[in-house]
Amino acid sequence: MITETISRSEARRLALIRAGLLKPEWTGLPRRAGGGGQRARDAALQIIERFGYLQLDTVAVAGARSHALVLLSRLENFEPQLGEALLQPGEPLFEYWGHEASWLPLDDYPLFGFRRRAYRRHPWWGDLIRQHPKVADKLRRRVQMEGALRSQDMEGRGSRGWWDLKIARKVASALWSAGEFAIRERRNFQRSFDLTERVIPGELLDAEVDESEALPRLLLRALAGHGWASTGTLAQTWRLTHCQPKIRLALEMLRESGEILPCRLLDRDGRATAGWIRPSDLTLAGRAGGLRPRRDRGVLLSPFDPVLWDRNRVRRLFGFEQVLEIFKPAAQRVYGYYCLPVLAGERLVARVDLKAQRKLGSLQVLATHYETDDDAQRVAPAHVNAVKSALERYAGALGLEPYQAL
């Protein structure tokens, strides 16, 4: 079997092209949103279609949650509040488990039938539906009679913390994970649970595919978003665990059909990492060798951006240690609570810890950490300019005054 090769720089550039972070003529994705109307919504949907998901996250300390940050980093003049309101009745999205809770293209609903069957036993909380049949039946009746039900409207006595959620909310989440409920919409990040048949079109409910068909399609979709990827990255994209033989079989089917090629990533020391690439992307990686991205114009990335959530991949392609320190005590943090990496051209040149002060009308920089160019630990002036332009662009998108360093 012939195995292709790709250099680290080629794989990195290809990843950024497929991620929509380089020039539109290379990415095939829009760069401008045109505000918050239908044009902006359509542009956001194109980006989600490219990856096959938009990961959700609750943290908004930097002024926007991760799903809005991903879109802001790619779309100029995009209104952050639209990033919170994409999931609406009639829109081609649904909410479900990708590698985390995500908004996914609606046409992909049939591909996750295997997961809905597996999650009849909740992945975190066990067999809640059977353990609390009265709660489950009451929720079903309420939703049937009253319509979509928000989490905050459910009965029960709550307490603080995700693991202490009132039981009704846990059971509703279990019913959603199992496919009995679907998320109709989110308002102020609050989910509205409804009967699946009232959210998902009937033709998609009837089109559920077998796992043996779903896995190759999901793996191919993941590869289209990554460019080049290892088997591990492809599996993690959809949280495919404990099914390595099935994944190997699916990848072999795709190879035999000519849809993917085995491809080794060669690092600077000549070491090789096994992976996969689509033939069209192998050609694209070769063509993009003459692409010269601007280095002085930076952009902030969410720590959960599609190019960043796989930390091993980030280290391999960018030589960047992507860390998330939210769950560390403040005294143990090296960089900050919720750091946003700064991309300039093809390099991750810094990370900034931000806090949006809405009442003050400012975006505060709690910390800035630059990547250095050489053993002398010097910070390149171009990196400083990239961070400055990235912060100015982001502050402007949030409607805040230019950032103020503390």
Side-chain angles (χ1 to χ4, degrees):
M1 180 173 61
I2 298 175
T3 300
E4 302 289 346
T5 61
I6 189 172
S7 70
R8 175 184 174 187
S9 61
E10 289 173 331
R12 179 175 60 241
R13 183 169 297 180
L14 177 62
L16 295 174
I17 290 174
R18 296 304 300 166
L21 287 167
L22 295 182
K23 296 179 179 180
E25 54 266 34
W26 287 92
T27 67
L29 292 173
R31 175 60 64 86
R32 297 185 178 275
Q38 189 59 46
R39 179 182 172 188
R41 184 176 288 274
D42 290 344
L45 292 174
Q46 285 186 59
I47 290 169
I48 298 173
E49 178 66 29
R50 169 63 60 86
F51 300 124
Y53 62 89
L54 182 63
Q55 181 180 338
L56 305 175
D57 189 69
T58 60
V59 179
V61 66
R65 294 185 178 90
S66 177
H67 36 291
L69 282 167
V70 170
L71 299 172
L72 283 166
S73 65
R74 289 154 173 84
L75 296 171
E76 296 179 9
N77 304 318
F78 185 79
E79 295 184 3
Q81 59 268 30
L82 178 57
E84 298 288 341
L86 289 174
L87 187 69
Q88 298 286 335
E91 292 295 336
L93 295 174
F94 74 104
E95 183 170 326
Y96 198 58
W97 297 107
H99 62 275
E100 299 291 348
S102 303
W103 288 338
L104 307 158
L106 185 58
D107 286 344
D108 287 349
Y109 186 85
L111 300 181
F112 291 89
F114 74 95
R115 174 149 296 158
R116 292 188 288 272
R117 290 190 294 272
Y119 282 8
R120 287 171 184 163
R121 180 180 179 88
H122 196 277
W124 300 336
W125 300 319
D127 200 351
L128 278 179
I129 298 173
R130 288 191 178 183
Q131 292 170 7
H132 302 280
K134 293 182 179 179
V135 176
D137 286 342
K138 186 172 183 178
L139 284 169
R140 293 183 184 108
R141 288 195 301 270
R142 283 196 64 185
V143 172
Q144 176 69 52
M145 299 299 295
E146 301 174 22
L149 190 66
R150 295 179 302 170
S151 300
Q152 66 186 36
D153 296 330
M154 295 175 188
E155 296 179 4
R157 190 171 181 178
S159 57
R160 294 178 299 172
W162 176 252
W163 293 104
D164 292 325
L165 281 173
K166 50 193 173 183
I167 194 62
R169 293 174 67 184
K170 286 186 177 181
V171 173
S173 181
L175 291 167
W176 165 65
S177 297
E180 289 195 53
F181 284 175
I183 309 302
R184 172 165 286 278
E185 62 181 343
R186 278 189 182 259
R187 291 187 181 180
N188 299 322
F189 210 62
Q190 277 281 320
R191 297 183 294 181
S192 292
F193 295 94
D194 204 345
L195 298 179
T196 300
E197 58 266 29
R198 296 203 296 229
V199 176
I200 306 299
E203 63 270 20
L204 294 176
L205 290 175
D206 295 336
E208 187 169 301
V209 300
D210 186 74
E211 184 179 22
S212 62
E213 180 183 346
L215 289 183
R217 290 168 62 178
L218 287 172
L219 292 169
L220 187 61
R221 180 179 264 293
L223 191 57
H226 291 302
W228 173 91
S230 68
T231 299
T233 294
L234 297 179
Q236 291 173 41
T237 303
W238 307 116
R239 197 184 285 206
L240 300 174
T241 59
H242 310 299
C243 59
Q244 287 84 355
K246 294 179 181 178
I247 292 171
R248 287 195 295 268
L249 179 60
L251 290 170
E252 183 59 24
M253 290 173 56
L254 291 170
R255 186 196 66 79
E256 289 180 353
S257 67
E259 294 175 88
I260 66 174
L261 298 169
C263 182
R264 294 182 301 164
L265 173 70
L266 302 179
D267 65 18
R268 293 176 180 175
D269 298 326
R271 291 175 296 185
T273 301
W276 303 91
I277 196 168
R278 300 186 307 166
S280 58
D281 284 337
L282 184 62
T283 302
L284 179 60
R287 287 178 44 233
L291 178 61
R292 293 290 178 263
R294 287 179 56 177
R295 297 179 180 275
D296 59 334
R297 186 179 185 188
V299 63
L300 298 179
L301 299 183
S302 161
F304 303 114
D305 192 279
V307 299
L308 292 180
W309 59 256
D310 186 338
R311 297 174 188 178
N312 289 332
R313 176 179 169 84
V314 175
R315 186 183 304 112
R316 185 174 289 133
L317 296 187
F318 294 91
F320 185 87
E321 291 293 333
Q322 168 60 10
V323 296
L324 190 64
E325 300 181 295
I326 289 177
F327 302 109
K328 289 183 179 180
Q332 296 179 18
R333 295 175 194 144
V334 176
Y335 300 109
Y337 176 73
Y338 190 75
C339 283
L340 279 62
V342 180
L343 176 72
E346 299 174 21
R347 297 189 60 186
L348 295 168
V349 301
R351 65 195 91 204
V352 292
D353 189 22
L354 305 179
K355 185 174 184 179
Q357 299 281 13
R358 296 282 184 183
K359 293 182 180 179
L360 299 176
S362 66
L363 180 68
Q364 293 189 330
V365 181
L366 305 179
T368 303
H369 295 271
Y370 289 94
E371 298 293 292
T372 53
D373 273 345
D374 50 37
D375 293 337
Q377 300 294 296
R378 291 177 295 187
V379 175
H383 295 182
V384 177
N385 291 335
V387 171
K388 183 175 184 293
S389 68
L391 288 168
E392 288 175 346
R393 173 184 168 185
Y394 180 62
L398 296 180
L400 301 177
E401 291 297 321
Y403 63 95
Q404 299 176 359
L406 294 181

